[in-house]
Amino acid sequence: MAVPDFIRQIREKIGNDPLWLPGVRGVVLDDENRVLLCQRADNGRWTLITGMLEPGEHPAPGLLREIFEETAVVAETERILAVGVIGPVTYPNGDVCDFLDIAFKCRYVSGDARVNDDESIAVGWFALGELPDISAGHRETIRLALEPGSAVAYQRD
């Protein structure tokens, strides 16, 4: 995975020390209530579409950028599902990060889902009863997206 230039510049100054970064994830649902997932190139795991925001980037447009960059799908955000923290994450090179994670429910607008960058090895739509092995956190985010009008879930610990 390519490390964004702004992260590389920060790492030149702080080394591997913990870094606080804004992250987003989206539950993209189509008209058949299928979920858009990608299979990550770095670890082979299936996940919701996720990404890091660029400096000054607003969360909803940043997520829509990530969805398109990774899958060639155009989507719209509908609502915030959850706000929490992921980490600390230690990468193989020793870099440590914590992520402020903002999860959104999104609606498919257009595009044919496909691998659109080097971050994924596969992309696809999955019926709710046929999801591949994904993390418990991503399953919970999907559950929140399917609850009509639920309040935003705030991680408390």
Side-chain angles (χ1 to χ4, degrees):
M1 305 249 174
V3 176
D5 288 338
F6 78 95
I7 299 293
R8 207 178 333 275
Q9 292 168 358
I10 293 170
R11 287 290 179 203
E12 288 174 6
K13 296 174 183 159
I14 69 165
N16 301 112
D17 287 350
L19 187 56
W20 178 246
L21 295 168
V24 287
R25 75 170 98 172
V27 178
V28 183
L29 298 167
D30 68 4
D31 292 337
E32 299 171 34
N33 246 11
R34 296 179 303 167
V35 180
L36 181 62
L37 300 175
C38 66
Q39 188 177 21
R40 294 174 54 108
D42 61 349
N43 63 16
R45 296 289 315 260
W46 284 95
T47 70
L48 294 171
I49 311 307
T50 65
M52 274 190 297
L53 298 176
E54 300 286 331
E57 188 172 35
H58 289 261
L63 174 59
L64 298 179
R65 173 189 54 77
E66 287 286 348
I67 292 167
F68 184 78
E69 284 178 2
E70 294 181 21
T71 70
V73 165
V74 175
E76 293 179 341
T77 55
E78 291 187 336
R79 63 187 173 96
I80 294 175
L81 299 171
V83 177
V85 175
I86 297 173
V89 177
T90 302
Y91 291 92
N93 68 354
D95 287 353
V96 178
C97 296
D98 287 281
F99 296 91
L100 170 64
D101 180 57
I102 305 169
F104 290 85
K105 179 180 181 182
C106 301
R107 184 179 66 78
Y108 167 81
V109 174
S110 65
D112 293 322
R114 63 178 168 82
V115 173
N116 205 34
D117 65 11
D118 62 353
E119 293 184 30
S120 303
I121 55 175
V123 168
W125 292 100
F126 292 86
L128 297 172
E130 299 174 356
L131 295 174
D133 181 30
I134 59 174
S135 74
H138 284 213
R139 283 192 183 276
E140 175 62 10
T141 306
I142 292 168
R143 186 191 68 73
L144 292 170
L146 298 173
E147 285 185 5
S150 65
V152 176
Y154 294 100
Q155 182 179 347
R156 303 274 185 214
D157 53 14

